[in-house]
Amino acid sequence: MEPTRWLDEQEQWTWRNFLWGARLLLEALDRQLQHDSEIPHTYYMVLAALSEAPERTLAMGQLAEVVCSSPSRLSHAVARLEDAGWIRRTKRPSDRRTTLAQLTDAGLATLAAAAPGHVEAVRQHLFDRLTRDQVRVLGEAFEAIHAGLDPEHTRRLPDRDGRS
Amino acid sequence: MEPTRWLDEQEQWTWRNFLWGARLLLEALDRQLQHDSEIPHTYYMVLAALSEAPERTLAMGQLAEVVCSSPSRLSHAVARLEDAGWIRRTKRPSDRRTTLAQLTDAGLATLAAAAPGHVEAVRQHLFDRLTRDQVRVLGEAFEAIHAGLDPEHTRRLPDRDGRS
DNA sequence: GGCCGTTGGTTGAGACCTCAACCAACAGCC
DNA sequence: GGCTGTTGGTTGAGGTCTCAACCAACGGCC
């Protein structure tokens, strides 16, 4: 058992800024979307992803990857979006296991109505506050972060008592 | 109504990396804590904040600020932590409106047990993947972000139909 | 003292998310 | 055909979070 490598001053400061900033940012965006368009940000991403897909259609699995969501979360989300009439679910004929999600016209309209306000909020809270260089570094940093996390997204952790 | 200033290539790329990276990172940390210590990351922050306060005690309001939480969320959280025996709640004698939250010995022990694994995870998923410069810029960027968001955290948004 | 606005927290309902269990359709193999 | 394992999704229970409503204690003012 190695001794714990605690965070130094700068790391603590950075970590705290990240946690606060990310939380406030995501909350602000969620509130804006919820308030103006009655959609949570997660659902917005689903609609946006479908709108860019060929035929505005994607299999659940692919959609989950594109929006970076667990199958379960996506399933719940799409169920709700279907209730709202914004998405249609059908089975793929050639393999009746996979479910295809298609954005309806109503869904596209909702998305189109929500998009400008959302983008404006992202700009206002994020990009307007950063220099071009900061934006570049931010992108590179998070690319590195999620590159390390993505593959083993589902990897199993060792049991906490070591009796696994 | 100004025309929407859409995101350019780099901004989209950065935004996406941030969303994915932040989500995966926070999920990974939450899973690690949940798995090894059975506490969500939010609750961990509450315990950590109290552990650093004088007398291991803070008023709910101050605690909420320190952990960047809404009063409601904190109230629910502390209620649960009190059930677990990790926090004690009392009224301040000089002003019986304010509730004081104090970390118990059991709470401190839980925190001490959880901390090394958590810090290790933060290191592994975040700091080990970034250069010193990236860390610095990251800290500065998020400082700017939450500086702009913090004060008007509770500000009122205009009604979406403009009839307010 | 008694009213009134403010401050500090709590509560309940409803929404979203996680985890684990489940199910149905396919594919390989005998 | 009939097993068996795998793949693709769904479901339900339980937990956390949000929002709005609420309540109790204080402070100022008459």
Side-chain angles (χ1 to χ4, degrees):
Chain A
M1 192 60 160
E2 320 275 322
T4 303
R5 295 176 299 148
W6 300 103
L7 302 184
D8 65 31
E9 276 293 320
Q10 188 189 14
E11 286 168 335
Q12 283 197 39
W13 177 81
T14 301
W15 179 231
R16 191 190 150 90
N17 278 340
F18 164 70
L19 284 177
W20 273 228
R23 189 197 302 256
L24 288 172
L25 176 57
L26 294 174
E27 279 177 1
L29 293 177
D30 230 341
R31 241 195 307 278
Q32 182 272 325
L33 271 177
Q34 197 70 255
H35 178 91
D36 291 357
S37 313
E38 315 208 315
I39 323 181
H41 182 238
T42 317
Y43 292 14
Y44 176 90
M45 292 204 299
V46 172
L47 298 182
L50 284 179
S51 78
E52 289 170 5
E55 312 275 337
R56 304 192 323 220
T57 302
L58 239 36
M60 294 298 279
Q62 320 223 340
L63 185 50
E65 265 198 26
V66 175
V67 301
C68 187
S69 169
S70 72
S72 172
R73 171 160 70 201
L74 182 62
S75 197
H76 285 295
V78 170
R80 256 183 160 287
L81 291 170
E82 190 173 34
D83 288 348
W86 296 332
I87 284 186
R88 204 173 6 251
R89 268 192 291 197
T90 53
K91 294 289 186 188
R92 166 180 288 151
S94 63
D95 179 350
R96 302 185 31 69
R97 282 173 303 182
T98 82
T99 313
L100 300 172
Q102 176 169 35
L103 189 63
T104 64
D105 290 342
L108 188 58
T110 311
L111 178 62
H118 174 61
V119 171
E120 186 50 42
V122 172
R123 218 171 242 314
Q124 175 184 337
H125 296 319
L126 183 66
F127 292 110
D128 282 357
R129 307 190 176 283
L130 301 179
T131 66
R132 208 70 196 167
D133 267 358
Q134 285 178 314
V135 171
R136 184 178 44 73
V137 175
L138 209 74
E140 291 166 0
F142 280 102
E143 187 181 34
I145 292 167
H146 94 248
L149 249 23
D150 217 3
E152 54 268 81
H153 183 188
T154 50
R155 90 176 174 294
R156 202 161 315 292
L157 295 164
D159 187 284
R160 73 172 170 290
D161 300 323
R163 38 177 166 70
S164 67
Chain B
M1 191 61 160
E2 321 274 322
T4 302
R5 296 176 299 148
W6 299 104
L7 302 183
D8 65 31
E9 275 294 319
Q10 188 190 12
E11 287 169 333
Q12 283 197 39
W13 176 81
T14 300
W15 178 233
R16 192 190 149 90
N17 277 340
F18 165 69
L19 284 177
W20 272 229
R23 190 198 299 259
L24 289 172
L25 176 56
L26 294 174
E27 279 177 1
L29 293 178
D30 231 342
R31 240 194 308 277
Q32 183 272 325
L33 271 176
Q34 197 69 257
H35 178 91
D36 291 357
S37 312
E38 316 209 315
I39 36 177
H41 182 238
T42 317
Y43 292 14
Y44 176 90
M45 293 202 299
V46 172
L47 298 182
L50 285 178
S51 79
E52 288 171 5
E55 310 278 336
R56 302 188 330 216
T57 302
L58 240 35
M60 295 297 281
Q62 319 224 341
L63 186 50
E65 266 198 26
V66 176
V67 301
C68 187
S69 169
S70 72
S72 171
R73 171 160 68 203
L74 182 62
S75 197
H76 285 296
V78 170
R80 260 187 157 285
L81 291 170
E82 190 172 34
D83 288 348
W86 295 332
I87 283 186
R88 205 174 5 250
R89 267 192 293 197
T90 53
K91 294 289 184 187
R92 165 180 290 151
S94 63
D95 179 350
R96 302 187 29 70
R97 282 172 304 183
T98 80
T99 315
L100 300 172
Q102 176 170 35
L103 189 64
T104 65
D105 291 343
L108 188 59
T110 310
L111 178 64
H118 174 60
V119 171
E120 186 49 44
V122 172
R123 216 170 245 313
Q124 175 184 339
H125 296 318
L126 182 66
F127 292 111
D128 282 357
R129 306 191 177 282
L130 302 179
T131 68
R132 207 71 195 167
D133 267 357
Q134 284 178 314
V135 171
R136 184 177 45 72
V137 176
L138 209 74
E140 291 165 359
F142 280 102
E143 187 181 34
I145 292 167
H146 93 248
L149 248 24
D150 216 3
E152 54 270 85
H153 183 188
T154 50
R155 90 176 173 297
R156 203 161 311 294
L157 295 165
D159 188 284
R160 74 173 170 289
D161 300 324
R163 40 178 163 70
S164 65

